[in-house]
């Protein structure tokens, strides 16, 4: 067993759940074989604790490292901030500079508050909306983090959140009095949102959603949602934690021409450094002063400095165009390799957030085998791919050569009926579950 897996065994005895982020659990990728920990990461190369080097053609820090690992320009800005003092009794001036930059990119917004992670930023956004409207209930679609306002949806029924990206999320520890305050609807289903409105019009504080994720909005969908929010007085919150800075400089809603009242960013905005922002109209954001929203670590300097450096480079190097190009190349390569090996494969998602599904009853077994054999060939690979600026065409070409070989192995295993027999460890697991 690798050094990383041995350390992970120790971690599960010391850290509930083993990792701080569900999406980084080795069981999600390749139980008992995934390297689990890294010693160094640069560009698209990851070195594990045993000195093995892998090319990351998977999720690049769960989508956070949009420029690549250890980007020299961002790191130089951060090191200068550290040398100048990362925390102080006084405030970092970069807070103002970043706020101006975010409002410049999103002309509909006039004010900004900061956090350091997406989940807490979403909680802040919902708190502001409730403070503004003096209402309690939230209609939402999609995945929006770990905090009480969101998991309250599963107090009503155990599977309310299933289908919103992450199934099986438990509301244990969420006060029962929050039952009925988080009301889910499906993307592109205006009728479901309207049904929520019919029963909760006077109590609805916010409509929370990603403007786009796996599917494009149906014609008129976002416009209708915007109209419903305006008509009911609910605050429209766009969760851009995943989609922000992946298709354009700023939020993907800029490409769709629909302005929310609040937008929330994290992940790619600072290339992996902890940083999150809640931006919004002055009318809505001023409600933050009527409630208590405050944290010492939201005032440190590194996050804003990293975000400013990331956004400037993203804009100057037209990173969005590069991500789209690389993502499209990979998606086309998956399709071609599947066609050549007679695999039934479906691709979906934005070019910069692309993934594939193997359309078989034993899909999870096949995906686990894919990850296993790609790892043996020196790739961190999954059925998802999040491109970065550091990914170049030669990386894609070499990766797709390996994919073609591995797809051939999968096809052979299907024909021979021995897919499970080829696994060297347990099956990958999906969704939320207790480890120990």
């Amino acid at each position: 067993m690798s050094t990383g897996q041995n350390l992970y065994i120790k971690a599960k005895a010391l850290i509930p759940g083993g990792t701080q982020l569900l999406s980084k659990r080795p069981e999600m990728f390749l139980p008992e074989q995934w390297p689990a920990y890294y010693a160094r990461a640069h560009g698209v190369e990851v070195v594990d604790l045993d000195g093995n080097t892998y090319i990351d053609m998977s999720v690049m820090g769960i989508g956070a490292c949009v420029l690549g690992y250890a980007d020299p320009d961002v790191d130089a800005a951060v090191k200068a901030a550290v040398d100048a003092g990362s925390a102080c009794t006084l405030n970092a001036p970069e807070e103002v500079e970043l706020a101006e930059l975010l409002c410049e990119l999103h002309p509909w917004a006039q004010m900004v508050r900061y956090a350091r992670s997406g989940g807490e930023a979403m909680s802040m956004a919902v708190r502001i909306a409730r403070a503004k409207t003096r209402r309690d209930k939230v209609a939402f679609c999609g995945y929006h983090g770990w905090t009480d306002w969101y998991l309250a949806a599963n107090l009503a029924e155990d599977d309310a959140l299933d289908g919103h990206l992450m199934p099986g999320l438990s509301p244990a520890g969420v006060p029962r009095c929050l039952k009925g305050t988080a009301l889910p609807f499906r993307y592109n289903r205006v009728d479901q949102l309207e049904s929520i409105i019919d029963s909760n019009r006077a109590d609805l504080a916010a409509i929370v959603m990603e403007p786009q994720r796996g599917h494009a909005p149906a014609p008129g969908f976002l416009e209708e949602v915007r109209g419903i929010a305006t008509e009911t007085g609910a605050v429209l919150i766009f969760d851009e934690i995943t989609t922000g800075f992946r298709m354009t400089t700023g939020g993907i809603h800029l490409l769709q021409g629909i302005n929310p009242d609040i937008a929330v960013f994290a992940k790619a905005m600072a290339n992996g450094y902890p940083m999150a922002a809640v931006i919004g109209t002055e009318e809505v954001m001023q409600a933050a002063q009527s409630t208590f929203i405050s944290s010492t670590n939201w005032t440190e300097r590194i996050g804003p400095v990293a975000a400013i450096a990331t956004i400037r480079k993203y804009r100057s190097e037209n990173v969005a165009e590069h991500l789209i190009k690389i993502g499209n190349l990979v998606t086309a390569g998956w399709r071609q390799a599947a066609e050549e090996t007679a695999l039934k494969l479906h691709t979906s998602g934005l070019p910069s957030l692309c993934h594939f599904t193997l359309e078989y009853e034993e899909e999870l077994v096949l995906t686990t085998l894919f990850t296993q054999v790609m790892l043996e060939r020196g790739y961190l690979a999954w059925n998802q791919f999040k491109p970065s600026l550091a990914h170049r065409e030669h990386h894609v070409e070499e990766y797709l050569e390996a994919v073609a070989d591995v797809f051939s192995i999968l096809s052979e295993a299907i024909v021979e009926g021995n897919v499970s027999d080829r696994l060297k460890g347990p099956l990958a697991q999906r969704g939320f579950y207790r480890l120990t």
Side-chain angles (χ1 to χ4, degrees), residues 43-237:
V44 297
E45 291 188 353
V46 177
V47 180
D48 71 10
L49 300 186
D50 291 312
N52 300 307
T53 299
Y54 303 95
I55 302 299
D56 196 338
M57 298 298 292
S58 61
V59 292
M60 290 300 291
I62 320 301
C65 298
V66 72
L67 303 179
Y69 298 129
D71 179 80
D73 298 311
V74 178
D75 285 1
V78 167
K79 289 172 184 175
V82 171
D83 289 341
S86 61
C88 177
T89 299
L90 305 183
N91 296 293
E94 290 84 2
E95 290 184 2
V96 181
E97 183 180 357
L98 178 57
E100 288 179 328
L101 179 56
L102 289 170
C103 290
E104 174 196 335
L105 295 175
H106 305 88
W108 59 268
Q110 295 86 45
M111 304 193 83
V112 182
R113 283 294 303 262
Y114 301 122
R116 290 300 180 273
S117 72
E120 64 183 1
M122 283 304 303
S123 288
M124 183 195 299
V126 170
R127 171 80 69 83
I128 291 171
R130 284 172 166 164
K132 167 63 178 173
T133 60
R134 302 294 176 176
R135 302 172 182 173
D136 295 335
K137 296 185 178 181
V138 177
F140 73 91
C141 69
Y143 171 76
H144 303 290
W146 62 275
T147 52
D148 286 3
W149 79 264
Y150 179 66
L151 291 185
N154 271 358
L155 292 171
E157 48 184 308
D158 291 339
D159 61 352
L161 295 176
D162 289 1
H164 291 269
L165 186 66
M166 191 81 70
L169 297 180
S170 171
V174 178
R176 298 293 303 178
C177 61
L178 293 179
K179 181 179 178 179
T181 60
L183 308 167
F185 66 97
R186 301 287 178 155
Y187 192 78
N188 279 333
R189 290 294 302 273
V190 174
D191 61 313
Q192 293 183 358
L193 176 58
E194 289 174 337
S195 179
I196 291 172
I197 299 298
D198 289 343
S199 303
N200 302 276
R201 179 179 296 270
D203 299 321
L204 194 67
I207 300 172
V208 178
M209 60 182 295
E210 291 178 302
Q212 186 173 346
R213 183 65 174 254
H215 306 283
F221 172 65
L222 293 178
E223 289 83 355
E224 289 185 79
V225 173
R226 173 70 270 181
I228 290 170
T230 301
E231 190 268 328
T232 60
V235 175
L236 179 58
I237 300 173

Side-chain angles (χ1 to χ4, degrees), residues 317-395:
E317 301 213 9
N318 200 357
V319 172
E321 181 179 335
H322 179 78
L323 300 184
I324 292 168
K325 176 183 177 181
I326 294 296
N328 281 332
L329 286 173
V330 167
T331 300
W334 286 339
R335 291 171 180 162
Q336 181 178 345
E339 183 178 350
E340 291 174 352
T341 55
L343 273 183
K344 292 183 288 185
L345 176 141
H346 175 73
T347 63
S348 57
L350 297 164
S352 56
L353 295 165
C354 50
H355 61 275
F356 68 79
T357 302
L358 294 165
E359 298 184 302
Y360 296 87
E361 184 176 341
E362 52 188 349
E363 182 267 332
L364 185 56
V365 187
L366 287 164
T367 301
T368 306
L369 182 58
F370 171 79
T371 300
Q372 172 185 295
V373 183
M374 289 297 290
L375 188 70
E376 293 168 354
R377 283 161 168 70
Y379 288 96
L380 299 180
W382 202 29
N383 66 333
Q384 296 181 21
F385 175 59
K386 294 179 170 63
S388 73
L389 179 63
H391 285 103
R392 296 296 164 178
E393 289 190 36
H394 72 89
H395 294 125

Side-chain angles (χ1 to χ4, degrees), residues 218-353:
F221 172 65
L222 293 178
E223 289 83 355
E224 289 185 79
V225 173
R226 173 70 270 181
I228 290 170
T230 301
E231 190 268 328
T232 60
V235 175
L236 179 58
I237 300 173
F238 279 170
D239 179 345
E240 292 267 15
I241 291 167
T242 297
T243 52
F245 297 94
R246 297 210 68 91
M247 294 295 289
T248 189
T249 306
I252 195 173
H253 68 271
L254 295 173
L255 300 179
Q256 298 158 334
I258 304 296
N259 295 335
D261 301 304
I262 285 177
V264 182
F265 297 89
K267 287 189 184 289
M269 74 176 293
N271 202 51
Y273 285 97
M275 190 63 205
V278 177
I279 73 173
T281 64
E282 181 178 4
E283 178 187 5
V284 172
M285 292 296 289
Q286 284 288 10
Q289 297 197 73
S290 66
T291 183
F292 187 61
I293 299 173
S294 183
S295 176
T296 298
N297 284 338
W298 293 348
T299 70
E300 62 81 37
R301 192 177 213 164
I302 291 171
V305 166
I308 291 167
T310 299
I311 294 169
R312 284 177 174 168
K313 183 165 185 173
Y314 193 102
R315 183 158 60 174
S316 68
E317 301 213 9
N318 200 357
V319 172
E321 181 179 335
H322 179 78
L323 300 184
I324 292 168
K325 176 183 177 181
I326 294 296
N328 281 332
L329 286 173
V330 167
T331 300
W334 286 339
R335 291 171 180 162
Q336 181 178 345
E339 183 178 350
E340 291 174 352
T341 55
L343 273 183
K344 292 183 288 185
L345 176 141
H346 175 73
T347 63
S348 57
L350 297 164
S352 56
L353 295 165

